[in-house]
Amino acid sequence: MARAKANILEKLREQMGFLRASLRAFYEGNFAESVRIATTIRVLVHETGSSKALLVQAMPSGLELQIFDRARERTEHEHILGFAVSVRLGSTLAPAVDLGSSHYSLSSVGAWWNRTVFTFPSQFGTQMVYRRKQVVLILANKEGGAHVDENEDPDYRRLMTDSPLSFAISGVRLATPDLARFLTAQSGVEMLDCLKRNFFPDEEVPVKWEFGVAPPVAQYMDSISLTPSVIDPVFPRAEVHVTKRN
């Protein structure tokens, strides 16, 4: 027997509550909550041959609903490294999301779900391309959201170990953050706003989320890209383009 519409909306509100609770815990410093966030996003938007996304159960056009997504910076040069995940610069890279940033624009849930979020050359010479769907499902299906896979996913491992993703500020090397977890939490913030926007307008949902307390003067990076500028026969040179807000 098909669920009544009221029951589906009740389940949708439950998932919104799960998402909000996990986001609060994540931005308080429990980054492991990212796997729960991933599982909630999977319930809401992921479809297979035998299961229908909860958003689609709530509304047939559920994957066409509006959601805030990263506005891509256009460049005539080919990116050799690029990703879009909000962080705050400091002694470490701290996750931070501001949906009021000019780098956001409205998109459809389906396009958001399938958006490329990381791209970089691996240390083995191949180009790595990650869609949001791939990153979120790795955390949900393999890294503890709903299941821990016996074998570590090699694509997930590359996000933490590949040399192009090393970070330094003023010459000081920083520990490489778990970008998959940062991206998933950021996606959770975007999805929470989507649920409010389309189903529960009276719900209180913060526009800004960040780990810890920001210093009086803080610098935020919304996206990073590395594009070639001059190619030397021996050593490639490049410019780093950092899209930031102060």
Side-chain angles (χ1 to χ4, degrees):
M1 178 184 296
R3 291 183 185 272
K5 182 64 176 293
N7 181 262
I8 292 175
L9 290 177
E10 180 184 347
K11 293 298 181 185
L12 199 61
R13 192 182 288 275
E14 283 182 352
Q15 294 298 317
M16 186 177 186
F18 296 154
L19 189 55
R20 178 163 33 208
S22 290
L23 284 169
R24 285 173 177 164
F26 179 92
Y27 286 100
E28 287 172 359
N30 185 1
F31 295 163
E33 282 290 336
S34 58
V35 299
R36 297 185 202 253
I37 295 169
T39 304
T40 300
I41 294 174
R42 186 188 71 172
V43 169
L44 291 167
V45 304
H46 184 49
E47 296 201 286
T48 68
S50 59
S51 64
K52 185 180 291 187
L54 186 55
L55 284 182
V56 176
Q57 294 182 53
M59 184 181 296
S61 59
L63 296 185
E64 298 173 12
L65 294 173
Q66 289 192 322
I67 187 171
F68 274 124
D69 199 358
R70 313 298 302 182
R72 281 288 179 179
E73 299 292 328
R74 297 289 182 179
T75 175
E76 61 183 10
H77 301 293
E78 180 185 0
H79 284 177
I80 58 177
L81 182 150
F83 62 86
V85 58
S86 295
V87 294
R88 187 180 73 236
L89 294 175
S91 57
T92 61
L93 295 180
V97 183
D98 179 2
L99 296 181
S101 167
S102 62
H103 304 296
Y104 271 105
S105 61
L106 288 171
S107 179
S108 69
V109 170
W112 170 89
W113 184 228
N114 287 285
R115 184 83 64 213
T116 296
V117 289
F118 301 122
T119 176
F120 59 91
S122 77
Q123 56 185 305
F124 303 107
T126 57
Q127 189 73 10
M128 303 302 302
V129 178
Y130 295 77
R131 292 183 298 157
R132 186 188 317 274
K133 175 180 179 179
Q134 176 189 6
V135 174
V136 171
L137 291 182
I138 285 174
L139 292 185
N141 298 341
K142 299 184 178 183
E143 291 294 323
H147 175 72
V148 175
D149 201 72
E150 182 179 2
N151 300 308
E152 189 173 40
D153 189 286
D155 289 338
Y156 174 69
R157 188 65 188 164
R158 287 189 189 101
L159 282 174
M160 294 184 289
T161 61
D162 235 314
S163 55
L165 298 178
S166 61
F167 295 85
I169 297 177
S170 300
V172 179
R173 178 73 178 270
L174 303 179
T176 301
D178 191 325
L179 293 176
R181 294 192 174 204
F182 280 24
L183 183 279
T184 298
Q186 178 176 300
S187 300
V189 171
E190 295 156 2
M191 178 53 64
L192 188 66
D193 176 82
C194 174
L195 294 174
K196 171 186 170 66
R197 176 186 304 277
N198 294 287
F199 295 99
F200 308 112
D202 295 333
E203 291 282 347
E204 292 292 330
V205 172
V207 174
K208 298 181 180 180
W209 298 73
E210 65 181 309
F211 169 64
V213 178
V217 178
Q219 186 178 70
Y220 297 81
M221 301 193 314
D222 288 285
S223 65
I224 294 178
S225 65
L226 185 66
T227 56
S229 59
V230 178
I231 303 299
D232 183 271
V234 180
F235 299 105
R237 296 172 56 196
E239 295 178 354
V240 177
H241 301 276
V242 178
T243 303
K244 63 184 179 182
R245 51 191 167 84
N246 294 316

